[in-house]
């Protein structure tokens, strides 16, 4: 009847007013309120048993966290608990449902956290830290009496950071780990090697970091000196990170990607590769061709590297990648083909399977377990206990769980935190399509295709932070926060507690916690979008203004006099009428008057109707690989960003009244075309061009429509990266969409539209 009891409590909770839900993230399994309250003030003690190092670590973590986030100073003591004390107690028979679970009781007499294991006690302390930071104030907190009984839904609650494409300092990695802990996430998957950089010191193979950790950025540098980019973690750095994680009950699972994504390794030791030639450490994102070879000597290298990796990382699970290994080099190599023949292996996928199997055996011999991306299933055979991480959607997880493998769900694009989180024009870099907060929250790690027994193989869900387009920690934080809150609830909270509106009601407090800790979270979900319905060529200056935010959270207040909106500014209730020109500034606020996002400003005037931001223009039909990128490979700021389509540089200007317009201006950026597309290269569309560097061709209505203007692109060697092009337009009447087609050669630079502006004839409104 225990489960019935839990279900009843959750119903009671779901029925309670949202305001009654304490701002806890992730939501605990069960909360019951009682009568009375307790005040926790400076000097309150945390009572721990003597000689229990793990409990002391947790108590110290709680003390430090509360001092840092609320200026609340608690002290740790052993011995009998005084009135009002916080007691941390770890007992084998604690009344919790499972390991990592805890109970937390607040009564007028004090607080008690009970758990069976050190992790459970830590999670109880995290919940208490959130109860003690219910607002942005400092000092004493009054808590309602309550009983919390909580445990995680999943054992693998993961976040992956790619430190290969861009490199983060140890301090930055630790900051992220600390936030993972505050969200009860427990697996840090650390992507340490890839084509663009080898980031882990291996003492036996120093070239891996002397050469492999550095790349020369295309088109960056000064005075003819190219710019190098890179860095690596020494073994001391790694031990420090692992220890930092361990105190926070986070396992660090290292990933060394093989047999593909190996270009930095091959650049360091060409004999590991297939061609015998030394490539540079790659500067191209995407899928590069360099694989490890399958010689015995290379297996010995891999074993030796894994020996050092296993000595550094106590994790039972070691990730060896396996993704995106295009087999062209193996197919072209007589040596690899001869090895396949000798082994009786008929295709290259099976050859990869053989290699991954050998590595799995080696790990198993050392008491470890292999984790791989879902391509490891394609080899025909993989160690039965290998964990499959499903990234190409959920199919890998479904297939793997059905064949008895444990699985982790980290499907692209849903749990890829490098996807844009809004389509706002002030959103920074990322891949399209958008994966917003709501889409992360809606993800269920257990695919419907699995029956109850197969579902037991689902270890949990993991979000991946690929950093091709995140050159700074500011970008990483923007991508991770607050989507990590949705992830934490997906991974921790029982499905029965999931409630989007309730989740949103708890977020403003979490944002205040972020501000207290200096976390650069994205406010994209709460920023006000300012839309008007005026159209080009309309007779009057009237316009209707609609204000909204993506999450539909908070109350929107706005001004039309240029001043900063406050809680005392007009409250937005419905679309309103105004006259152009006017400047609307707007922000959404919590009930307590805290701004949920920085105010956004928009000048509404006739000129802005004729100006189109390139990031707002749709891509042309049939092209479909869109990302927002930085202007140069060494840029580290959040803006400007440019939307590009790797398959076809072509965008659509929406249908616009063209009467009286006489010219078109383009503000264009030239970008590096540093993308390795492997077999997808055939999807890149080449357009005929009439001048050496191609043109922008403006077509009427659609991309095969009449040519309205042709604007030749300048010589890349002798022009700035950003330039303007102008052309006159023929006289048009009525509404016309425009297809803006770049015809630049596809072996040259990429181009992106900053802005497109339509110019009225003199005397037109
Ligand atoms: C992956 O995104 N290549 C696992």
């Amino acid at each position: 009847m225990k489960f019935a009891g839990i279900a009843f409590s959750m119903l009671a909770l779901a029925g309670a007013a949202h305001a009654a839900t304490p701002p806890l993230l992730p939501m605990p399994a069960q909360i019951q309120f009682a009568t009375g309250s307790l005040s926790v003030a400076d000097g309150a003690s945390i009572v721990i048993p003597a000689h229990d190092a793990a409990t002391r670590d947790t108590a110290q973590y709680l003390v430090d966290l509360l001092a840092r986030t609320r200026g609340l100073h608690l002290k740790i003591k052993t011995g009998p608990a005084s009135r009002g004390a916080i007691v941390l107690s770890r007992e084998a028979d604690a009344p919790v449902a499972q390991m990592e679970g805890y109970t937390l009781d607040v009564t007028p007499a004090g607080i008690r956290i009970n758990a069976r294991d050190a992790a459970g006690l830590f999670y109880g302390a995290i919940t208490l830290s959130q109860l003690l930071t219910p607002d942005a104030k400092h000092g004493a907190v009054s808590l309602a009496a309550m009983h919390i009984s909580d445990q995680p839904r999943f054992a693998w609650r993961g976040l992956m950071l790619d430190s290969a494409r861009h490199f983060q300092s140890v301090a930055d990695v630790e900051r992220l780990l600390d936030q993972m802990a505050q969200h009860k996430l427990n697996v840090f998957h650390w992507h340490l090697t890839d084509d663009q950089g080898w980031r882990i010191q291996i003492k036996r193979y120093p070239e891996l970091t002397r050469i492999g950790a550095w790349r020369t950025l295309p088109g960056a540098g000064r005075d003819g000196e190219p710019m190098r980019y890179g860095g690596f973690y020494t073994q001391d750095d790694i031990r420090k990170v692992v220890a930092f994680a361990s105190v926070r009950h986070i396992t660090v699972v290292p990933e060394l990607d093989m047999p593909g994504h190996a270009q930095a390794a091959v650049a360091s030791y060409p004999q590991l590769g297939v061609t015998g030639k030394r490539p540079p450490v790659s500067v191209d994102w995407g899928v590069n061709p360099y694989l490890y070879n399958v010689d015995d000597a290379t297996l010995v290298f891999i074993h030796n590297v894994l020996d050092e990796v296993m000595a550094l990382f106590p994790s039972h699970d070691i990730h060896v990648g396996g993704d995106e290994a295009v087999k062209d080099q193996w197919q072209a190599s007589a040596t690899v083909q001869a090895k396949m023949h000798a082994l009786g292996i008929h295709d290259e996928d099976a050859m990869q399977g053989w290699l991954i199997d050998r590595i799995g055996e080696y790990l198993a011999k050392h008491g470890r377990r292999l984790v791989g991306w879902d391509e490891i299933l394609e080899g025909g055979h993989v160690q039965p206990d290998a964990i499959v991480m499903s990234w190409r959607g959920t199919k890998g997880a479904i297939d793997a769980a059905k064949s008895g493998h444990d699985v982790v769900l980290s499907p692209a694009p849903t749990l890829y935190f490098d996807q844009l989180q809004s389509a706002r024009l002030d959103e920074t870099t990322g891949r399209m399509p958008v994966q917003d907060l709501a889409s992360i929250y809606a993800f269920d790690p257990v695919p419907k295709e699995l029956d109850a027994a197969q579902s037991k193989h689902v270890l949990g869900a993991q979000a991946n932070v690929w950093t091709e387009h995140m050159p700074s920690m500011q970008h990483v934080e923007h991508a991770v926060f607050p989507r990590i809150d949705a992830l934490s609830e997906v991974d921790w909270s029982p499905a029965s507690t999931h409630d989007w509106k309730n989740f949103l009601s708890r977020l403003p407090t979490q944002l205040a916690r972020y501000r207290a800790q200096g976390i650069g979270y994205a406010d994209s979900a709460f920023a006000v979008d300012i839309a008007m319905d005026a159209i080009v060529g309309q007779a009057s200056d009237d316009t209707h203004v609609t204000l909204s935010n993506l999450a539909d959270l908070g109350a929107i207040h706005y001004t039309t006099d240029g001043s900063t909106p406050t809680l005392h500014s007009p409250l937005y209730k419905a679309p309103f009428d105004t006259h152009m020109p006017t400047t609307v500034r707007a922000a959404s606020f919590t009930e307590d008057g805290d701004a949920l996002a920085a105010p956004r400003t928009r000048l509404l005037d006739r000129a802005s109707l004729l100006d189109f931001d390139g990031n707002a223009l749709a891509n042309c039909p049939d092209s479909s690989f869109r990302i927002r990128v930085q202007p140069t490979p060494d840029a580290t700021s959040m803006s400007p960003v440019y939307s590009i389509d790797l398959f076809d540089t072509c965008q659509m200007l929406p249908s616009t009244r063209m009467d009286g317009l006489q010219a078109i201006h383009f503000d264009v950026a030239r970008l590096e075309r540093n993308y390795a597309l492997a077999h997808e290269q055939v999807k890149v569309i080449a357009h005929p061009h009439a001048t050496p560097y191609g043109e922008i061709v403006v077509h009427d209505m659609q991309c095969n429509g009449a040519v309205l203007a042709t604007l030749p692109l300048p010589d890349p060697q002798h022009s700035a990266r950003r330039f303007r092009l102008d052309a006159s337009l023929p006289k048009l009447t009525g509404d016309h969409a425009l297809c803006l087609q770049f015809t630049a050669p596809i072996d040259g630079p990429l181009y992106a539209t900053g802005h497109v502006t339509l110019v009225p004839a003199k005397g037109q409104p």
Side-chain angles (χ1 to χ4, degrees):
M1 289 327 291
K2 196 163 167 205
F3 284 109
I6 289 176
F8 178 78
S9 293
M10 284 323 306
L11 277 178
L13 178 64
H18 286 158
T21 308
L24 300 173
L25 280 148
M27 189 67 182
Q30 193 187 6
I31 307 178
Q32 288 160 326
F33 290 98
T35 48
S37 65
L38 173 76
S39 176
V40 179
D42 271 356
S45 40
I46 302 178
V47 179
I48 61 169
H51 317 301
D52 179 347
T55 300
R56 180 171 285 278
D57 282 349
T58 288
Q60 191 62 52
Y61 182 79
L62 183 59
V63 166
D64 294 344
L65 184 60
L66 290 172
R68 181 149 70 83
T69 56
R70 200 179 170 87
L72 182 62
H73 298 282
L74 308 185
K75 54 179 199 269
I76 300 172
K77 61 176 233 182
T78 54
S82 49
R83 203 174 160 73
I86 298 161
V87 178
L88 303 188
S89 157
R90 191 147 68 101
E91 290 151 12
D93 60 351
V96 296
Q98 63 187 60
M99 300 302 261
E100 298 191 290
Y102 66 92
T103 58
L104 189 161
D105 288 278
V106 180
T107 70
I111 296 173
R112 173 175 278 271
I113 301 175
N114 267 319
R116 264 192 237 163
D117 58 340
L121 203 64
F122 181 79
Y123 296 131
I126 292 296
T127 299
L128 180 58
S129 78
Q130 293 185 349
L131 288 174
L132 291 174
T133 49
D135 51 41
K137 301 188 184 99
H138 264 210
V141 184
S142 175
L143 296 183
M146 69 181 92
H147 171 77
I148 295 178
S149 174
D150 195 15
Q151 66 281 322
R153 180 175 176 202
F154 293 107
W156 185 299
R157 305 181 297 278
L159 188 71
M160 188 215 78
L161 178 66
D162 171 9
S163 295
R165 272 53 175 269
H166 282 102
F167 178 70
Q168 306 83 22
S169 69
V170 167
D172 284 339
V173 172
E174 288 181 350
R175 236 165 101 77
L176 190 62
L177 285 165
D178 193 54
Q179 288 300 321
M180 283 181 65
Q182 291 184 42
H183 289 84
K184 303 188 172 91
L185 299 181
N186 68 342
V187 179
F188 177 58
H189 169 177
W190 204 2
H191 187 77
L192 285 167
T193 71
D194 214 301
D195 301 309
Q196 299 81 5
W198 182 285
R199 305 272 175 244
I200 170 173
Q201 179 186 28
I202 301 294
K203 295 211 166 146
R204 194 169 177 140
Y205 301 108
E207 301 292 81
L208 288 172
T209 43
R210 193 183 69 82
I211 295 173
W214 305 93
R215 62 178 185 258
T216 304
L217 298 181
R222 275 167 195 272
D223 305 326
E225 275 295 304
M227 182 178 166
R228 274 199 346 153
Y229 176 90
F232 64 92
Y233 305 102
T234 66
Q235 296 205 346
D236 281 345
D237 289 338
I238 287 178
R239 276 186 282 270
K240 192 164 169 269
V241 168
V242 167
F244 186 93
S246 167
V247 171
R248 289 159 179 76
H249 296 275
I250 295 170
T251 301
V252 185
V253 175
E255 180 191 352
L256 288 89
D257 211 339
M258 54 191 81
H261 289 289
Q263 190 165 328
V266 178
S268 310
Y269 294 100
Q271 65 271 31
L272 300 172
V274 182
T275 66
K277 297 203 181 78
R278 187 194 294 274
V281 175
S282 184
V283 292
D284 293 334
W285 312 127
V287 177
N288 287 276
Y290 283 87
L291 306 193
Y292 288 104
N293 65 41
V294 291
D295 298 351
D296 292 345
T298 296
L299 256 180
V300 170
F301 162 86
I302 291 171
H303 292 168
N304 290 339
V305 168
L306 288 175
D307 286 347
E308 293 193 35
V309 167
M310 287 186 285
L312 287 168
F313 295 93
S315 169
H316 183 228
D317 303 319
I318 305 286
H319 203 308
V320 299
D323 59 321
E324 297 182 315
V326 286
K327 304 297 189 306
D328 302 7
Q329 290 192 338
W330 283 4
Q331 277 162 357
S333 157
T335 320
V336 174
Q337 294 298 318
K339 175 109 178 191
M340 284 169 55
H341 186 72
L343 292 167
I345 288 174
H346 300 297
D347 69 45
E348 291 74 21
D349 284 343
M351 187 66 225
Q352 170 164 336
W354 178 89
L355 186 74
I356 296 285
D357 235 10
R358 299 289 76 71
I359 298 166
E361 275 173 6
Y362 190 77
L363 290 172
K365 212 168 81 187
H366 292 79
R368 308 297 179 100
R369 176 167 60 163
L370 179 144
V371 191
W373 299 110
D374 57 58
E375 283 93 334
I376 65 172
L377 293 170
E378 290 171 353
H381 181 262
V382 58
Q383 301 270 309
D385 75 340
I387 296 176
V388 174
M389 193 168 268
S390 189
W391 76 277
R392 294 176 301 177
T394 56
K395 185 174 180 305
I398 295 164
D399 292 348
K402 285 188 171 170
S403 63
H405 288 284
D406 283 349
V407 299
V408 174
L409 277 287
S410 65
T414 315
L415 294 187
Y416 270 41
F417 280 179
D418 54 332
Q419 303 288 134
L420 289 184
Q421 55 195 304
S422 80
R424 297 184 55 82
L425 296 182
D426 55 20
E427 192 59 75
T428 186
T429 53
R431 282 177 176 246
M432 282 167 252
V434 164
Q435 299 298 317
D436 62 15
L437 195 56
S439 64
I440 312 288
Y441 193 77
F443 180 70
D444 186 345
V446 181
K448 303 221 175 343
E449 291 83 349
L450 300 182
D451 65 25
Q454 293 158 349
S455 300
K456 292 205 165 55
H457 288 296
V458 175
L459 299 181
Q462 174 177 297
N464 297 332
V465 185
W466 298 104
T467 59
E468 287 92 336
H469 307 295
M470 298 184 204
S472 75
M473 203 56 194
Q474 215 189 339
H475 289 84
V476 171
E477 290 191 348
H478 181 91
V480 169
F481 304 95
R483 289 190 288 192
I484 193 174
D485 291 291
L487 175 71
S488 76
E489 214 131 300
V490 164
D491 264 328
W492 180 279
S493 308
S496 60
T497 66
H498 284 217
D499 176 340
W500 168 243
K501 287 280 176 205
N502 183 282
F503 170 76
L504 283 180
S505 76
R506 288 175 278 126
L507 264 189
T509 310
Q510 187 73 346
L511 301 184
R513 291 184 190 119
Y514 290 149
R515 289 193 293 275
Q517 297 176 77
I519 298 292
Y521 64 87
D523 68 4
S524 320
F526 322 110
V528 176
D529 185 50
I530 303 166
M532 68 165 161
D533 69 350
I535 57 167
V536 174
Q538 71 178 32
S540 86
D541 285 333
D542 296 343
T543 185
H544 219 51
V545 177
T546 306
L547 306 180
S548 60
N549 68 40
L550 196 57
D552 194 16
L553 182 65
I556 296 175
H557 292 264
Y558 67 96
T559 66
T560 52
D561 61 2
S563 64
T564 303
T566 68
L567 210 50
H568 307 295
S569 310
L571 172 69
Y572 176 78
K573 296 198 187 105
F576 58 90
D577 294 319
T578 186
H579 300 289
M580 297 182 286
T582 190
T583 296
V584 176
R585 300 195 74 193
S588 9
F589 293 85
T590 64
E591 281 172 16
D592 299 332
D594 291 330
L596 284 162
R600 297 307 206 268
T601 306
R602 185 170 170 192
L603 167 63
L604 311 178
D605 65 357
R606 285 185 176 270
S608 68
L609 296 176
L610 295 169
D611 182 70
F612 300 84
D613 187 315
N615 291 305
L617 300 181
N619 42 328
C620 294
D622 306 326
S623 60
S624 60
F625 192 159
R626 280 194 97 192
I627 34 182
R628 275 193 198 180
V629 298
Q630 310 264 142
T632 59
D634 55 341
T636 53
S637 61
M638 304 289 273
S639 65
V641 292
Y642 294 93
S643 294
I644 56 173
D645 187 325
L646 295 180
F647 293 158
D648 193 3
T649 309
C650 178
Q651 285 178 296
M652 293 300 298
L653 197 96
S655 186
T656 302
R657 182 85 169 273
M658 291 289 170
D659 302 69
L661 300 179
Q662 67 164 19
I664 186 164
H665 285 330
F666 286 84
D667 164 9
V668 180
R670 187 172 50 245
L671 310 169
E672 299 298 327
R673 193 188 287 270
N674 57 329
Y675 300 87
L677 297 173
H679 298 168
E680 295 209 292
Q681 183 63 38
V682 294
K683 296 188 185 170
V684 180
I685 302 171
H687 296 276
H689 51 97
T691 54
Y693 313 107
E695 306 84 25
I696 305 175
V697 183
V698 180
H699 294 268
D700 191 16
M701 296 294 192
Q702 54 205 14
C703 298
N704 58 5
V707 174
L708 301 178
T710 300
L711 302 86
L713 294 164
D715 178 354
Q717 300 300 326
H718 298 105
S719 57
R721 282 178 188 275
R722 281 186 63 166
F723 54 89
R724 282 188 62 122
L725 296 177
D726 303 298
S728 52
L729 287 173
K731 273 195 166 52
L732 296 169
T733 53
D735 291 344
H736 292 250
L738 302 180
C739 166
L740 314 174
Q741 178 70 65
F742 286 73
T743 62
I746 61 173
D747 56 358
L750 271 169
Y751 292 88
T753 311
H755 280 262
V756 183
T757 314
L758 297 170
V759 186
K762 293 248 174 344
Q764 293 288 326

